[in-house]
Amino acid sequence: MASLPPIDLPTGATGKGSFDAPSAGEPDAARFDYLLRLGDDSLILGQRLSEWCGHAPVLEVDLSLANLSLDLIGQATHLLEEAGDGDKLAFHRDVLDFRNCLLVEQPNGDFGRTMARHLLFSTWQHMLFQRLTLSSDRFLAEFAAKAVKEVAYHRELSAEWVVRLGDGTEESAQRMAEGLDWNWRFVPELFEVDDELQKLIDRGIAPDPREFEDEYRSAIAGVLAAAKLEVPADQRPILGGRRGHHSEHLGHLLAVMQFLPRTYPDATW
């Protein structure tokens, strides 16, 4: 049987996934979706943390959480403006259009639960951004190089509080364990790879989160060991945030966050 003739590659197609890359001038739906995922993660968690303003246990922590919130909203601003009109994407989308993971929209609960959520998310985000600095997408690489420094601080601060509370009083340890248990079921979604994400992984734009899941679990286990807490037992994963399937909590959060610009769409500062 005669062999098939060689295929002439189009200009610029040099490796795996090149045929999936959009041509110049075509909308890049996968990249747009990825910008929304990263931007919505930061936006929703920033809004959640801002709810602590004026309610944190002590003044120093109140200021720390407000700064973390501002860092996250700053990240969201860069990412959503790269995707399109940042203000419209933040304040004029309905709940089903958001692409954040379910972990970041969970209610704050007590201070222990908030720190558990932040440890689980910021550890993942730090590892993701470290790898995103090597992205073939120039904007994402430069964004990650800047954001990874502040996320490293988020991770360090939340780890310190988890250790302090876990290795504190009987009550603080119990609350810390309950907070971890509440948030643990949302961790598997952080490492989920669907068809849209796979397209960007193939193009060298997005890191594959499955490649650092073992490192992540080891890092979390190390913090919990220092806190004298048990790693929570794996639960049935809850997925769907990346596809717009959210918990009831996100709608309540958006009602507060979007009230002003939706009620007064022409308002300016």
Side-chain angles (χ1 to χ4, degrees), residues 112-183:
R113 188 194 291 181
T114 293
M115 286 297 104
R117 183 188 62 204
H118 210 70
L119 173 70
L120 297 178
F121 180 76
S122 64
T123 302
W124 173 82
Q125 192 184 42
H126 185 230
M127 292 180 177
L128 180 77
F129 282 5
Q130 284 178 315
R131 288 157 178 80
L132 196 59
T133 61
L134 303 177
S135 171
S136 61
D137 185 295
R138 182 176 177 180
F139 167 81
L140 287 171
E142 292 180 351
F143 162 80
K146 179 179 180 182
V148 72
K149 300 172 186 175
E150 55 196 24
V151 174
Y153 171 71
H154 296 196
R155 177 181 175 181
E156 180 181 347
L157 183 143
S158 57
E160 287 177 353
W161 272 107
V162 168
V163 172
R164 187 177 302 178
L165 295 172
D167 193 20
T169 67
E170 181 178 345
E171 180 180 356
S172 70
Q174 179 184 348
R175 290 193 181 195
M176 198 65 252
E178 290 173 353
L180 287 163
D181 191 58
W182 168 275
N183 289 294

Side-chain angles (χ1 to χ4, degrees), residues 54-105:
H55 300 280
V58 295
L59 180 58
E60 181 181 358
V61 176
D62 202 302
L63 295 173
S64 295
L65 295 182
N67 283 326
L68 264 58
S69 177
L70 289 173
D71 286 344
L72 289 164
I73 292 174
Q75 294 169 15
T77 301
H78 285 294
L79 290 162
L80 295 182
E81 287 184 350
E82 175 67 11
D85 186 322
D87 283 341
K88 286 188 177 179
L89 288 171
F91 298 122
H92 294 276
R93 273 185 296 159
D94 291 329
V95 62
L96 298 180
D97 296 324
F98 276 78
R99 291 294 176 266
N100 58 277
C101 64
L102 293 168
L103 176 62
V104 298
E105 69 191 46

Side-chain angles (χ1 to χ4, degrees), residues 30 33-34 37 99 189 191-202 208-210 240-244:
D33 183 75
Y34 194 57
R37 295 183 186 201
R99 291 294 176 266
E189 186 181 31
F191 300 96
E192 182 187 26
V193 175
D194 56 18
D195 292 342
E196 289 301 302
L197 180 56
Q198 187 63 54
K199 292 177 184 175
L200 297 182
I201 294 172
D202 291 343
D208 187 339
R210 296 169 298 192
R242 302 304 191 195
R243 296 181 291 280

